[in-house]
Structures are given as structure tokens and as C-alpha cells.
Amino acid sequence: GAVVSQHPSWVICKSGTSVKIECRSLDFQATTMFWYRQFPKQSLMLMATSNEGSKATYEQGVEKDKFLINHASLTLSTLTVTSAHPEDSSFYICSAVRGTPVPQYFGPGTRLLVL
Amino acid sequence: ELKVEQNPLFLSMQEGKNYTIYCNYSTTSDRLYWYRQDPGKSLESLFVLLSNGAVKQEGRLMASLDTKARLSTLHITAAVHDLSATYFCAVDKTSGSRLTFGEGTQLTVNP
């Protein structure tokens, strides 16, 4: 149990376009979902915390208008990178919390390349 | 601000040897997590340590937590090549809340 999926697993897009990434908890209802970004050879940096039915909480330095997060249900959160630029190229990973006290379950990640 | 520091950041060891990865964190927390990441992959949960003195073992890996010292260790016994990966520790201030990750320790086990 506790499987988290992401779609797509990788995406290549042109600069200026928008990209939507989905994060789904497949076999449980997630009270909270998190979005992380990881650059090569670096650690994970939290971008935002997402709770179903409420606005996401963004970390300092993360642009709300650029990284749109929608948590439509207890099993689905989406991250939209708007007007993507090459510096947005990264590995985006979501995680979901099923309850406490358990670890966050991580999705397989989405690799974004902006040309 | 919660800070989590790991050392070493890079570890190259021979098969059969033992070694320990250290994780220090800067604020009070009773929960510490260890994750493994293989190249190009996401994170796999290894251990959840929930109280002072907690010790957990899985195969050749053993993790412990000292909340008073704000220190966790991940001990590797008789390393094998399959353990080559990057290991992250992470801390959250309250259960189910945001995680703060260490920098990661890139482990390479050589034949």
C-alpha cells in the first residue's frame, strides 16, 4: 500500500509554454501533499504544501503565480509550471502523507526539460 | 530555521567494510527519516525513527536516533555493491508536516 504516482514521468517543452504535472495517491487518501524540486546532485527543496480544498502554502522564494498548485481531491494534486524557462528544468517530486506518524510517500518524480 | 547536516557528503568504501553516516539537526524534533535515492529515481523510505533511543535495522543498515544530541546515525555493515546510492536524512517539526532534508550522502561501494 501507500503508492504515489506522478504523470508524466518526463516532459520536454519549449520555453514559454506551460506544463502540468499530476500527483496521485493510488491506494489511500492523502491529507497533505508536498511538492519538491531537485536539481542535479542536490538535495530536495520543498516548494509548497498542498491540502485538499485549500490554497497551497508556498515556501519562501517560490513564485505562486509561476508554480500553480491545485489540490482537487484527497487523491490528486497538480503542479503547473507556467511560462516555463530553461532554469525551471529540474526533477519535480511529489509526496503524500497518509496519516501520522508515518513517513511521506514519494512519487517517482517528473523530469522536466525546458528548451 | 531548521537545518539538517549530513556527513560525509561523499563516501567511497570497499565491499565488506563498515561505515557510519551522520545526520545532525538544529532544532527539537522527535522524528527522523532516512531515505535512499538511486540515480534518476525518486526516494525510497528506509527508516522512521520516532523517539529518543530508537534503533531500527534492515539488512545491512541500522539507524539510530539520539534526540538529546540531535543526532542520527546510519550504520552500514559489511557493505555490498547494491548499497551504492544517495542517502538522505530528513526531519519534520511536527508529524506529517514539511520535511527538511540533509544534503545527502553519495555512497559508492567498490568491489
Side-chain angles (χ1 to χ4, degrees):
Chain A
V3 177
V4 177
S5 71
Q6 279 184 244
H7 178 79
S9 55
W10 59 270
V11 57
I12 302 173
C13 69
K14 291 182 179 180
S15 187
T17 60
S18 294
V19 175
K20 180 184 283 189
I21 302 170
E22 291 186 349
C23 176
R24 293 183 184 270
S25 56
L26 297 185
D27 53 359
F28 66 99
Q29 291 187 327
T31 52
T32 304
M33 289 183 171
F34 300 88
W35 287 96
Y36 295 87
R37 181 167 53 180
Q38 185 181 34
F39 292 107
K41 303 293 185 183
Q42 294 188 22
S43 188
L44 278 73
M45 297 299 295
L46 180 66
M47 299 176 66
T49 302
S50 173
N51 292 292
E52 185 263 342
S54 61
K55 291 184 178 180
T57 302
Y58 291 81
E59 294 301 301
Q60 193 172 8
V62 177
E63 299 177 55
K64 300 178 183 181
D65 296 332
K66 181 167 185 61
F67 298 100
L68 300 179
I69 291 174
N70 182 28
H71 199 145
S73 72
L74 285 172
T75 60
L76 173 65
S77 177
T78 60
L79 168 67
T80 301
V81 183
T82 62
S83 187
H85 288 98
E87 56 266 29
D88 298 325
S89 299
S90 186
F91 192 41
Y92 292 86
I93 306 175
C94 73
S95 71
V97 177
R98 182 173 61 181
T100 60
V102 291
Q104 294 180 18
Y105 295 97
F106 286 82
T110 296
R111 198 163 298 280
L112 170 64
L113 177 61
V114 184
L115 302 176
Chain B
E1 181 188 348
L2 175 57
K3 292 185 179 180
V4 182
E5 295 182 343
Q6 288 180 234
N7 77 84
L9 300 183
F10 299 94
L11 177 55
S12 179
M13 54 191 298
Q14 285 186 310
E15 280 191 328
K17 299 293 186 181
N18 304 333
Y19 210 84
T20 300
I21 299 171
Y22 297 89
C23 175
N24 289 91
Y25 54 98
S26 64
T27 193
T28 303
S29 175
D30 290 334
R31 286 168 307 282
L32 189 132
Y33 308 87
W34 283 98
Y35 291 92
R36 168 181 172 147
Q37 185 177 38
D38 291 297
K41 304 292 186 181
S42 188
L43 274 67
E44 173 191 354
S45 177
L46 294 176
F47 299 108
V48 180
L49 302 170
L50 298 175
S51 61
N52 186 40
V55 177
K56 291 195 174 180
Q57 183 165 3
E58 181 72 34
R60 300 174 188 275
L61 300 178
M62 183 174 70
S64 65
L65 178 62
D66 181 344
T67 59
K68 294 179 181 177
R70 300 178 185 171
L71 170 69
S72 179
T73 61
L74 180 65
H75 187 73
I76 303 157
T77 302
V80 293
H81 180 69
D82 286 351
L83 289 179
S84 297
T86 299
Y87 293 85
F88 291 96
C89 64
V91 175
D92 62 8
K93 294 188 77 172
T94 57
S95 188
S97 70
R98 51 173 297 189
L99 285 174
T100 300
F101 283 84
E103 307 97 319
T105 297
Q106 186 175 323
L107 171 65
T108 303
V109 181
N110 302 303

